[in-house]
Amino acid sequence: MAEAERQTLAELGELGVLARIFPRLPKADATLLGPGDDAAVLAAPDGRYVVTTDMLIHGPDFRWEFSAPDDLGWKAAATNLSDVAAMGARPTALVVAIAAPQSTPVSVLEGVAEGLRSACAELAPGCGVVGGDLSTSDVFTIAVTAFGDLEGRRAVRRSGARPGDVVAVAGELGVAARGLRLLFERGREGGLRADAHAVGRQLRPMPPIGLGTVAADAGATAMMDVSDGLVLDARRLARASAVDLEFDGLTDDEAHGGEDHALLAAFPPDVALPDGFRRIGLVVPGAGRVLVGGAPVDELGGWDPYEQWDGRLS
Amino acid sequence: MAEAERQTLAELGELGVLARIFPRLPKADATLLGPGDDAAVLAAPDGRYVVTTDMLIHGPDFRWEFSAPDDLGWKAAATNLSDVAAMGARPTALVVAIAAPQSTPVSVLEGVAEGLRSACAELAPGCGVVGGDLSTSDVFTIAVTAFGDLEGRRAVRRSGARPGDVVAVAGELGVAARGLRLLFERGREGGLRADAHAVGRQLRPMPPIGLGTVAADAGATAMMDVSDGLVLDARRLARASAVDLEFDGLTDDEAHGGEDHALLAAFPPDVALPDGFRRIGLVVPGAGRVLVGGAPVDELGGWDPYEQWDGRLS
């Protein structure tokens, strides 16, 4: 490793680190005033803006033994972009706060910045980083807040599904969870050899960001990001809408795997599903359940970091 | 402690914790869609919005031996509100991501929420929390992103100071730093007995949030939040504006103490300083220096967590 890459945050100091990171960050088209002042200023031509925040912590959310720095930057961007897309909005900008051990080589932060840039370029062109914060912590932590523009659309909430609507998804289901199992069983290299696609999706999820606005324009009545597993998240949408969701069928992998960040949506029965969405069921009268063949799917399914991470795995 | 307060995050689970916190969070007037969906939607009647983010980490930024939970919530809000105010904007909303050890009693998060609410109510009425994220980490971490409305004003940057402008500050200087020294020397109780005002300001800073828009309306040419110490921050403003700042005089406490979150601003010479601002110097031609009696103040001064926190103090 070259000398410049081995330098740690402690050696470079905050300004030195920022000088190395800034050139690697993606620019946002909506920027009126970018990084370097007390705050950034962004355009909101719609008169509204969409906001979401999601933090990734070393241990429960990612591990350096599995993720390269640019994988982490990608994932931190992708998970937040997906929440913006799930409202029917176009992602416009991110702010990124990172806390890292002082012994961290600056090349790690450069890699994170490059991952943020790749994710914005490939998943949400025009979206960029407009501000951030850099702190020290023994636990590597990245907190991203993402913004979006509804461009005149109504926001698509979880609560709008109506009996008779078709339930559809865009994106993969269960693939990232299969990748995570392989990482735990075989490590990064062994996991990639066993199933490069699944492990790749766990490390660098490919949420169908562009389909969020497409679904909204097509008339989606409800939509959400599948981050904790299809059954668990579908039940949330069912409860918010006060309906049941009757699925056509479900494999175990589809039902319980989280982290693919598929889009789950409901469309009125007379709407042709937009390209990229496939039917998985029907909205029926009810009270917040997920059914297969008329029977409720059990309560389990999905990933709850509070219950399923015990700290010993890190 | 009552049973309900002793319950830990691990025992309650994420949804249980959120149910306990949500009722305590302040509501934001700008909310079009609040917490509970994939993202929030906020009003931006001005067609622009101001964004800043700042993370507080247990160890370098706060310690439970000094800060009560509501002190932490207050400080996390206040430091971010101050950055919004320093642009000449009115703070409208916050999103808050918290990562906490699983053994944390839920009463700690309730306290943080109450501190966020008090700070919004007292410093920026109408501002509230519109979203968040809750994760697990061995190091207690709170990342706040704050938003503001310029209400038709131009943003007041660091770069607009011109020779002949008057340099002024609103808020205290050096008080929070004195409080921090007392906390290290005597602990919370001993420090409060020695100087309740200074220790109180370190734990719960009182930035003059409302004066940000007042200064902008009065014609401030440049403004920033004094978070790292007057000399260090004044030098940043001087560099951004490509001028020198000639101070009328400086005590050591004023020069080097950070964390009061005073507002440092430059006003044209014909402007009457708004109530709450006091003159501390003059903008003169130059290249980014801070002068007293014509001589540059040395490079030291202010707080750099990268250089001054070594982890052993925690």
Side-chain angles (χ1 to χ4, degrees), chain A residues 37 40 42 44 47 49 51 55 133 145, chain B residues 40 42 44 47 49 51 55 133 145:
Chain A
D37 218 297
L42 292 174
Y49 55 107
V51 179
M55 205 181 220
D133 185 33
T145 302
Chain B
L42 292 175
Y49 55 107
V51 180
M55 205 180 219
D133 185 32
T145 303

Side-chain angles (χ1 to χ4, degrees), chain A residues 228-269:
Chain A
D228 294 330
L230 180 62
V231 170
L232 199 155
D233 284 326
R235 197 177 290 123
R236 290 173 179 153
L237 189 146
R239 285 181 184 154
S241 295
V243 296
D244 285 349
L245 303 187
E246 169 77 52
F247 283 8
D248 299 335
L250 265 183
T251 68
D252 196 55
D253 259 14
E254 285 173 350
H256 301 306
E259 295 198 284
D260 289 304
H261 299 283
L263 284 173
L264 170 67
F267 293 92

Side-chain angles (χ1 to χ4, degrees), chain A residues 140-156:
Chain A
F140 197 103
T141 301
I142 178 166
V144 173
T145 302
F147 309 106
D149 184 355
L150 285 162
E151 300 173 317
R153 295 175 202 95
R154 81 193 186 298
V156 185

Side-chain angles (χ1 to χ4, degrees), chain A:
Chain A
M1 210 189 278
E3 174 62 27
E5 292 182 358
R6 272 199 309 268
Q7 284 188 290
T8 65
L9 305 193
E11 287 161 3
L12 271 170
E14 185 171 2
L15 290 183
V17 174
L18 293 178
R20 293 275 288 273
I21 297 174
F22 268 7
R24 291 174 162 81
L25 292 173
K27 305 287 180 286
D29 291 345
T31 305
L32 299 176
L33 176 63
D37 218 297
D38 292 282
V41 183
L42 292 174
D46 172 274
R48 302 168 295 168
Y49 55 107
V50 167
V51 179
T52 183
T53 191
D54 195 36
M55 205 181 220
L56 299 181
I57 314 283
H58 188 264
D61 299 317
F62 78 94
R63 318 207 174 165
W64 291 129
E65 66 182 294
F66 301 149
S67 293
D70 63 321
D71 294 333
L72 175 63
W74 175 289
K75 188 164 185 167
T79 55
N80 278 281
L81 295 171
S82 181
D83 282 324
V84 170
M87 303 305 293
R90 185 175 55 77
T92 49
L94 311 174
V95 295
V96 181
I98 293 178
Q102 294 199 294
S103 59
T104 305
V106 68
S107 58
V108 169
L109 294 197
E110 290 174 334
V112 171
E114 282 160 9
L116 292 165
R117 189 176 60 192
S118 308
C120 286
E122 293 185 38
L123 301 175
C127 183
V129 175
V130 297
D133 185 33
L134 189 55
S135 308
T136 61
S137 173
D138 288 342
V139 178
F140 197 103
T141 301
I142 178 166
V144 173
T145 302
F147 309 106
D149 184 355
L150 285 162
E151 300 173 317
R153 295 175 202 95
R154 81 193 186 298
V156 185
R157 303 177 56 173
R158 298 178 178 183
S159 54
R162 297 290 168 256
D165 287 351
V166 170
V167 181
V169 292
E172 294 174 306
L173 293 171
V175 176
R178 187 162 75 242
L180 186 62
R181 283 196 302 275
L182 287 168
L183 285 169
F184 279 128
E185 289 166 14
R186 310 183 187 203
R188 180 179 168 104
E189 294 315 313
L192 282 167
R193 274 197 304 275
D195 188 339
H197 176 74
V199 170
R201 286 295 191 268
Q202 164 59 224
L203 299 176
R204 295 171 82 93
M206 289 289 288
I209 303 296
L211 291 179
T213 57
V214 169
D217 289 339
T221 55
M223 185 154 54
M224 71 181 294
D225 159 50
V226 181
S227 55
D228 294 330
L230 180 62
V231 170
L232 199 155
D233 284 326
R235 197 177 290 123
R236 290 173 179 153
L237 189 146
R239 285 181 184 154
S241 295
V243 296
D244 285 349
L245 303 187
E246 169 77 52
F247 283 8
D248 299 335
L250 265 183
T251 68
D252 196 55
D253 259 14
E254 285 173 350
H256 301 306
E259 295 198 284
D260 289 304
H261 299 283
L263 284 173
L264 170 67
F267 293 92
D270 57 337
V271 162
L273 293 185
D275 283 349
F277 279 90
R278 59 192 185 278
R279 175 191 159 120
I280 59 165
L282 204 60
V283 180
V284 297
R289 296 176 307 170
V290 172
L291 312 172
V292 175
V297 178
D298 74 33
E299 285 292 313
L300 297 176
W303 161 256
D304 180 344
Y306 270 90
E307 294 185 0
Q308 298 181 0
W309 185 66
D310 65 5
R312 287 170 303 192
L313 296 172
S314 66

Side-chain angles (χ1 to χ4, degrees), chain B residues 48-114:
Chain B
R48 303 168 295 168
Y49 55 107
V50 167
V51 180
T52 183
T53 191
D54 196 36
M55 205 180 219
L56 298 181
I57 314 285
H58 188 264
D61 299 316
F62 77 95
R63 316 203 178 170
W64 291 129
E65 65 182 295
F66 301 149
S67 293
D70 63 323
D71 294 334
L72 175 64
W74 176 288
K75 189 164 185 166
T79 55
N80 278 281
L81 295 172
S82 181
D83 281 324
V84 171
M87 303 306 292
R90 185 176 55 78
T92 50
L94 311 174
V95 295
V96 181
I98 292 177
Q102 294 200 295
S103 58
T104 306
V106 68
S107 57
V108 168
L109 294 197
E110 291 174 332
V112 171
E114 282 160 9

